[in-house]
């Protein structure tokens, strides 16, 4: 029996998505919830789980195609397999209730739920794809670093096929392993949860002598860009379709720039005390893995200052004719990626400690660069921060994220002569740039907010006076 699977609405209300890559091929056997493809919407790259268990008979789109929601994407032959039911969930539950003397059927348990990334797996592990023949490969694969594949471990012709569980890890860890050329199927999780962490990957790389220099990890990752190569020698221009995140970012920025009257104010501040605090925290062996930097301290300062200036943490609701003041902070962190600018936010950032903020910022940035930011993580922000200083820029005029009242840009921290206690001394100095919506925030409010943030960066101890 052949079942067609159409591209679902991924919970975002978007009419289409671009197929990034297939993770399966015609003839592959899959089970319920195996990741079969990656698609890019206007907000994120999303993994599609298989709604059926069976054999793939046809792929109806190619990588790079834009597929409309509701269009047939892939076909399965589910004959003779434990396929997911095609009937609605209510019918499945009704059938299970009628046959009260028997245990619930597998189909009743395995109802697909694509928005939630599929139903609970019914098998013990991940399905097996057809074996790939690899020539002249050493038998001791447990000590070899394989070429990274998106999701599947490379298999050998003489290996007996059996279902293996997909290594459990987070998107940033999978991306890190891919950069090192490490197959996560060979990495053992050290924790009781069975989830492979970055430390596990690093430990494995050290053990097998992986060439980690091919993917250096800097204290502050900096996005690099390359000039596109012309498709044909001699071409003087390259045309790239405006899709996905780039389209969404452009629409959002135009809407913000021509809807909210922007005002930007600047303040240069001596942050030597903050630099000394960060250095002391880095020397603390209990905090070294948290990588607390200027971004985390600024995030904490913003959360504290927003409590004193709620106008910067509000929203202009034109339809309702109201100003909505938020009593919580969902702090947006602007991240530059190869796919464009994304602004995921930290939920309830006002409740987090400095260490927790540092971990959250790092996690958001790694997930964004891996292209795995969930659409929900980019919604509901109340205020944003962008760190242009990592690119060596002193200041700028950032555009407000739609639906928010302000955004703070952090410039580069520079060692330069500065007046200190009546004398000239070399100090760490940075420029802050605050853009705010003048419908919501007056110049006085914006200036006072910026001064409060600067005061905390100038004297971190002043945070003890705020709540």
């Amino acid at each position: 029996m052949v079942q067609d699977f159409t591209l679902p609405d991924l919970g975002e209300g978007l009419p289409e998505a671009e197929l990034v890559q297939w993770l399966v091929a015609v003839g592959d056997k899959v089970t319920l919830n195996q990741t079969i493809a990656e698609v890019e919407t206007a907000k994120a790259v999303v993994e599609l789980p298989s709604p059926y268990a069976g054999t793939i008979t046809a792929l109806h789109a190619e990588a790079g195609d834009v597929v409309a929601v509701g269009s047939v994407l892939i076909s399965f032959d589910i004959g003779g397999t434990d396929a997911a039911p095609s009937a609605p969930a209510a019918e499945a539950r009704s059938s299970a209730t009628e046959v009260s003397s028997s245990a619930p059927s597998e189909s009743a348990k395995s109802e697909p739920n694509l928005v939630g990334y599929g139903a609970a797996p019914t098998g013990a592990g991940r399905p097996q794809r057809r074996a790939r023949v690899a020539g002249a490969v050493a038998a001791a694969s447990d000590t070899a670093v394989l070429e990274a594949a998106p999701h599947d471990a490379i298999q050998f012709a003489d290996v007996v096929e059996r279902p293996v569980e997909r290594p459990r890890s987070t998107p940033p860890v999978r991306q890190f392993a891919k950069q090192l050329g490490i197959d996560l199927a060979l990495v053992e999780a050290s924790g009781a949860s069975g989830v492979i962490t970055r430390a596990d990957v690093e430990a494995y790389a050290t053990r097998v002598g992986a060439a980690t220099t091919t993917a250096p990890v800097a204290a502050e990752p900096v996005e690099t860009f390359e000039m596109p190569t012309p498709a044909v020698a001699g071409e003087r221009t390259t045309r790239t379709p405006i899709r996905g995140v780039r389209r969404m970012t452009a629409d959002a920025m135009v809407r913000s720039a021509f809807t909210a009257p922007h005002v930007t104010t600047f303040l240069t501040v001596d942050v030597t005390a903050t630099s000394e605090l960060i250095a002391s925290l880095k020397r603390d062996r209990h905090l070294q893995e948290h990588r607390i930097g200027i971004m985390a301290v600024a995030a904490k300062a913003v959360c504290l200052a927003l409590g004193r200036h709620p106008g910067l943490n509000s929203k202009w609701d034109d339809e309702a004719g109201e100003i909505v003041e938020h009593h919580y902070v969902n702090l947006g962190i602007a991240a530059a990626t190869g796919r464009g600018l994304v602004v995921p936010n930290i939920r309830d950032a006002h409740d987090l400690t400095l260490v927790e903020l540092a971990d959250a910022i790092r996690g958001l940035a790694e997930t964004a660069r891996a292209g795995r930011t969930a659409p929900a993580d980019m919604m509901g922000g109340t205020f944003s921060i962008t760190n242009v200083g990592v690119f060596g820029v002193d200041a700028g005029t950032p555009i407000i994220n739609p639906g928010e009242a302000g955004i703070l840009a952090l410039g580069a921290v520079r060692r330069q002569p500065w007046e200190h206690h009546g004398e000239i001394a070399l100090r760490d100095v940075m420029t802050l740039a605050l853009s705010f919506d003048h419908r919501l925030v007056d110049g006085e409010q914006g200036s006072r907010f910026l001064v409060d943030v600067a005061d905390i960066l100038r004297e971190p101890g002043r945070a003890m006076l705020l709540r």
Side-chain angles (χ1 to χ4, degrees):
M1 178 180 178
V2 176
Q3 286 280 1
D4 291 333
F5 172 52
T6 60
L7 179 67
D9 182 345
L10 300 170
E12 309 169 53
L14 299 172
E16 61 188 19
E18 180 180 350
L19 178 62
V20 177
Q21 64 172 333
W22 286 111
L23 303 177
V24 293
V26 173
D28 283 356
K29 293 182 179 180
V30 298
T31 61
L32 181 65
N33 284 322
Q34 176 178 348
T35 302
I36 56 175
E38 292 179 346
V39 296
E40 180 180 2
T41 69
K43 296 181 179 178
V45 172
V46 179
E47 294 181 344
L48 283 183
S50 173
Y52 303 108
T55 302
I56 295 172
T57 60
L59 304 178
H60 298 282
E62 297 182 356
D65 288 351
V66 177
V67 182
V69 170
S71 298
V72 176
L73 191 63
I74 187 172
S75 298
F76 301 83
D77 181 355
I78 62 174
T81 63
D82 292 331
S86 58
E91 295 180 11
R93 286 192 292 268
S94 174
S95 304
T97 304
E98 292 173 5
V99 189
S100 58
S101 59
S102 61
S105 67
E106 285 300 312
S107 62
K109 298 177 186 176
S110 306
E111 180 189 350
N113 177 16
L114 295 179
V115 173
Y117 295 99
T122 57
R126 191 178 178 217
Q128 189 76 19
R129 289 182 62 179
R130 293 178 300 173
R132 301 175 184 171
V133 179
V137 181
S141 61
D142 60 326
T143 59
V145 179
L146 306 178
E147 289 189 10
H151 291 276
D152 294 292
I154 296 177
Q155 301 167 357
F156 308 102
D158 58 347
V159 177
V160 178
E161 292 191 8
R162 66 174 183 269
V164 293
E165 183 180 1
R166 178 184 180 182
R168 297 176 60 195
S169 64
T170 60
V173 173
R174 290 199 294 268
Q175 177 71 8
F176 178 61
K178 183 176 180 180
Q179 290 175 342
L180 295 184
I182 292 177
D183 178 8
L184 282 180
L186 304 178
V187 181
E188 182 178 355
S190 59
S193 64
V195 177
I196 298 172
T197 65
R198 185 186 182 97
D200 294 331
V201 175
E202 291 174 341
Y204 178 83
T206 301
R207 181 167 67 85
V208 301
T212 56
T213 54
T214 60
V217 181
E220 292 290 339
V222 178
E223 198 75 22
T224 59
F225 303 92
E226 296 181 359
M227 290 295 293
T229 302
V232 180
E235 285 191 357
R236 295 173 61 86
T237 60
T238 298
R239 290 181 175 270
T240 304
I242 304 173
R243 297 174 180 168
V245 171
R246 180 65 64 186
R247 166 70 72 182
M248 183 202 70
T249 301
D251 291 344
M253 293 300 98
V254 170
R255 186 169 70 253
S256 176
F258 288 93
T259 301
H262 281 56
V263 175
T264 304
T265 184
F266 302 86
L267 182 59
T268 303
V269 57
D270 180 350
V271 296
T272 305
T274 292
S275 297
E276 293 171 349
L277 170 64
I278 293 171
S280 68
L281 295 177
K282 288 181 178 179
R283 289 193 297 268
D284 188 332
R285 61 186 181 89
H286 299 293
L287 298 174
Q288 286 178 351
E289 65 181 48
H290 296 288
R291 290 171 58 177
I292 300 172
I294 190 69
M295 188 74 164
V297 179
K300 187 63 179 178
V302 164
C303 290
L304 292 171
L306 286 175
R308 299 187 62 184
H309 306 279
L312 271 297
N313 197 43
S314 59
K315 174 183 178 180
W316 183 275
D317 190 338
D318 215 7
E319 292 184 3
E322 297 173 338
I323 294 175
V324 182
E325 186 178 299
H326 306 295
H327 303 297
Y328 59 89
V329 178
N330 286 348
L331 188 62
I333 304 297
T337 74
R339 298 167 52 245
L341 175 70
V342 295
V343 190
N345 62 78
I346 302 171
R347 304 288 177 177
D348 295 322
H350 62 287
D351 287 334
L352 302 183
T353 65
L354 179 61
V355 171
E356 291 169 336
L357 280 171
D359 290 344
I361 292 170
R362 178 181 178 183
L364 285 185
E366 290 180 346
T367 301
R369 291 188 178 96
R372 303 299 182 191
T373 301
D377 292 337
M378 292 186 281
M379 301 177 182
T382 64
F383 188 92
S384 295
I385 300 179
T386 179
N387 187 3
V388 298
V390 296
F391 305 110
V393 175
D394 292 325
T397 55
I399 297 178
I400 304 166
N401 204 30
E404 300 175 11
I407 180 171
L408 180 69
L410 309 179
V413 177
R414 300 192 183 281
R415 192 75 169 168
Q416 63 185 56
W418 196 259
E419 187 276 330
H420 181 63
H421 296 320
E423 298 180 354
I424 301 298
L426 283 176
R427 307 288 290 177
D428 288 347
V429 177
M430 74 180 302
T431 298
L432 306 176
L434 172 69
S435 290
F436 55 87
D437 185 342
H438 217 331
R439 297 174 301 177
L440 293 162
V441 182
D442 295 333
E444 178 187 3
Q445 293 172 293
S447 298
R448 290 186 183 278
F449 168 83
L450 187 59
V451 168
D452 279 352
V453 172
D455 283 346
I456 296 174
L457 294 176
R458 183 184 297 109
E459 299 179 55
R462 295 184 68 86
M464 302 294 291
L465 302 176
L466 305 176
R467 63 181 178 88

